[in-house]
Amino acid sequence: MSTNQPVPAVQASGGGAPDARQLRTILIAVSIALMAVIASVTGLNVAQTHMAVEFGASQSTVLWIINIYTLALAALLLPLGAVGDRLGRKPMLIAGLGVFGIATVVAGLAPTAEVMLASRVASGIGAAMIMPITLAVITSTFPEEQRGKAIGVWTGVAGGGGILGMFLSALLVDVADWRWLFVLPVVLVLVALAMTVTSVPNSRETSAHRFDTVGALVSTVAVVGLIFVLQEGPERGWTAPETLISLAVGLIATVGFVAWELHRRDASLLDVRLFRERGLAGGSITLLVVFGVQAGIGVVLFPFFQAVLGWSGLLSTVSMMPMAVMMMMASGLAPRLAARIGARSTMVVGIAMASVGMALMALFVSVGGGYLSILPGLLAMGVGMGLSMTPSTEAITASLPREKQGVASALNDVTREFGTALGVALLGALVSAGYRSAIDDRLHGIPQGAADTAREGVANAVEVAGSTGPHAQDLLHAAQQSFVDGWQQSMWVGAAVMGVLFVYIAFRGPKNTPSAVADETDPAEAVAAG
């Protein structure tokens, strides 16, 4: 297919190919920019109570402050990635860092919830300008033999950066004030901006076709509709009118987008015909599932740490770090493994490891066993996700021509965002349903009011237990054990989904041709090693 032939992007900055030192600097610059975006996705989760008190805001408003950033980011990734391809990746990255930085400063100083909401929308727009360009710079700048390891660094930051950002955010909330959460992204933006201006080369697409404005608008509507359903469905109810209307709009817009892109063919925003190829389809499905599982595990872990084990928010976040570290290390190892045994085999090994990790947690989690009962599963999942993410990302970017790497990178990012929202919604619903089903048979003798409160969730049960007098320990034990039962149910479902993915990738994954191993001293490896 002609659209799948790599066409060199125009290097707008002049000069020859970057040397090893320049490539290392470029990789550091885009990784820091990406870290700023990723840290802002999860950072405010640890400050929900503080925002509600300071702004006098409802829980619904606080959740919108958190979710509106992700909604704006996901909705604009494809259009802004394509704009960056045409206008130039360096100026788009600089502009995005500027918008994101200013909006983050405004959010940190916001006097009202309304100002905070507006600044979070602006931050999401800036993030959508940054995120696809960071990967597009790598794929359009690094030579082929070093590209895989550079993508490994990028995926390690994208996968583990959220947990690291949450840890730093929890630390700032504990030792300072919740508004200090915005200092970290601003510092990262300033460093990335300085390095981008001085070190990142510019490249852009030259196209004979007009920009696909209709495709860009319809894709935005589709993503907004579907992400809204996944974010708001658990809160508003899956059969609420707003949820059903949003679902209908999202599905209609998705069908319309596919039909329009097929009509535009080579002039399309995204050539959907390429999903017939194993690389693009397999890579996208893998990232969707892997990021869904990772996000869903976060929904399960924090209530387990805080309500079952009684840990603080900071200690709970620290407990996630082993998985993040293993994920980042495995992301750096994945390109070397893929060079020896092939991309598909590496993805299969990673998916199998992640499946084993979920099964281990389902088998051994217990109230009495505490953290050690889930640690082996966390470590296995970290390794598995790291091994599967890097070749999946490379399969997606390799499926689109070089002058459309902004679109390829945006598609990669949209898939991650959809997977995250889907995992939170589905695994969260499974845990809640399993908890409610299990606790009903354990509330005999508990006062009716306290029992009704306990049915709402494990955190509610812990809060109300103190008012039940001699029933307190019975209620706590019932709630904690019921949560573990719900945990096991969700983990087994997750393991089953990963098992289906394993079979699909084993038979329909990307081509499994091993490539030559890059030079031992390439810049991506140097960055991955610290």
Side-chain angles (χ1 to χ4, degrees):
M1 188 180 296
S2 62
T3 54
N4 198 33
Q5 298 302 314
V7 179
V10 175
Q11 294 292 331
S13 56
D19 58 25
R21 184 185 62 81
Q22 291 171 311
L23 288 174
R24 183 166 56 250
T25 305
I26 291 167
L27 185 56
I28 292 172
V30 297
S31 296
I32 292 173
L34 177 64
M35 177 62 80
V37 170
I38 297 297
S40 294
V41 172
T42 56
L44 278 185
N45 284 329
V46 300
Q48 294 186 41
T49 304
H50 300 80
M51 287 190 294
V53 171
E54 183 155 337
F55 293 140
S58 66
Q59 179 65 18
S60 176
T61 300
V62 171
L63 289 176
W64 264 111
I65 290 173
I66 294 171
N67 290 336
I68 197 71
Y69 172 83
T70 307
L71 188 64
L73 167 62
L76 295 173
L77 280 168
L78 270 178
L80 293 180
V83 170
D85 282 336
R86 287 175 174 254
L87 298 184
R89 294 172 182 124
K90 180 173 182 174
M92 177 63 93
L93 182 55
I94 291 173
L97 288 167
V99 171
F100 182 85
I102 293 171
T104 302
V105 170
V106 173
L109 301 174
T112 64
E114 290 75 17
V115 174
M116 176 65 83
L117 278 167
S119 64
R120 291 287 285 175
V121 172
S123 295
I125 295 171
M129 299 168 72
I130 296 168
M131 196 171 182
I133 300 303
T134 57
L135 183 56
V137 166
I138 291 174
T139 55
S140 63
T141 303
F142 277 74
E144 185 176 355
E145 67 273 11
Q146 297 178 10
R147 195 174 302 146
K149 289 185 178 180
I151 290 175
V153 173
W154 188 94
T155 56
V157 173
I163 298 174
L164 180 60
M166 190 178 294
F167 162 69
L168 294 174
S169 298
L171 180 62
L172 286 170
V173 168
D174 272 16
V175 303
D177 183 82
W178 72 272
R179 291 186 181 271
W180 283 84
L181 296 177
F182 299 98
V183 172
L184 175 62
V186 170
V187 171
L188 292 173
V189 162
L190 291 175
V191 174
L193 189 58
M195 296 184 71
T196 298
V197 169
T198 58
S199 304
V200 174
N202 189 23
S203 60
R204 61 181 176 84
E205 169 196 357
T206 54
S207 176
H209 305 288
R210 295 177 59 186
F211 182 74
D212 185 8
T213 305
V214 173
L217 292 174
V218 176
S219 73
T220 300
V221 173
V223 174
V224 168
L226 296 177
I227 292 287
F228 180 88
V229 169
L230 295 174
Q231 287 183 344
E232 295 297 311
E235 184 73 17
R236 297 171 183 260
W238 295 106
T239 58
E242 304 96 318
T243 306
L244 295 177
I245 291 171
S246 181
L247 177 61
V249 170
L251 292 176
I252 292 170
T254 300
V255 172
F257 176 74
V258 172
W260 177 256
E261 298 305 281
L262 288 172
H263 168 72
R264 291 273 297 186
R265 299 180 69 83
D266 291 348
S268 61
L269 179 73
L270 172 65
D271 189 349
V272 295
R273 296 171 296 172
L274 292 175
F275 280 97
R276 298 170 184 165
E277 298 187 6
R278 290 186 173 193
L280 188 59
S284 298
I285 292 171
T286 299
L287 286 183
L288 183 78
V289 174
V290 167
F291 270 81
V293 167
Q294 180 191 9
I297 285 174
V299 172
V300 176
L301 281 176
F302 278 96
F304 178 76
F305 291 146
Q306 294 177 309
V308 176
L309 302 185
W311 290 0
S312 67
L314 180 59
L315 183 56
S316 300
T317 308
V318 172
S319 302
M320 294 279 287
M321 293 302 292
M323 183 174 73
V325 170
M326 297 305 294
M327 191 188 310
M328 297 177 81
M329 291 176 61
S331 295
L333 174 65
R336 184 174 297 280
L337 186 60
R340 288 185 167 87
I341 67 174
R344 183 171 62 195
S345 296
T346 304
M347 291 168 66
V348 165
V349 171
I351 293 165
M353 285 287 293
S355 302
V356 169
M358 298 195 78
L360 286 173
M361 287 193 287
L363 282 170
F364 297 116
V365 63
S366 67
V367 177
Y371 183 60
L372 292 180
S373 69
I374 65 168
L375 182 58
L378 285 179
L379 295 176
M381 283 211 61
V383 173
M385 289 188 288
L387 290 179
S388 57
M389 287 190 304
T390 299
S392 300
T393 297
E394 194 168 7
I396 292 173
T397 57
S399 297
L400 271 74
R402 187 157 181 161
E403 83 278 9
K404 288 220 170 188
Q405 283 306 295
V407 174
S409 305
L411 176 62
N412 174 82
D413 299 333
V414 168
T415 303
R416 291 166 180 263
E417 295 300 329
F418 265 117
T420 298
L422 191 62
V424 169
L426 295 186
L427 287 184
L430 283 171
V431 173
S432 297
Y435 170 84
R436 286 193 297 269
S437 175
I439 201 171
D440 276 338
D441 295 330
R442 295 186 170 119
L443 293 175
H444 302 298
I446 304 297
Q448 186 63 42
D452 291 341
T453 301
R455 289 187 180 93
E456 297 174 6
V458 64
N460 305 77
V462 171
E463 184 176 353
V464 79
S467 64
T468 59
H471 301 288
Q473 286 303 315
D474 291 338
L475 179 56
L476 280 175
H477 178 74
Q480 292 169 346
Q481 189 57 52
S482 297
F483 182 83
V484 167
D485 290 348
W487 166 305
Q488 291 176 314
Q489 176 178 305
S490 67
M491 290 299 102
W492 283 124
V493 170
V497 171
M498 295 295 284
V500 173
L501 177 64
F502 174 89
V503 174
Y504 174 81
I505 296 300
F507 290 97
R508 295 290 301 169
K511 292 181 180 179
N512 205 29
T513 305
S515 59
V517 180
D519 189 333
E520 296 288 337
T521 58
D522 73 69
E525 188 172 76
V527 173

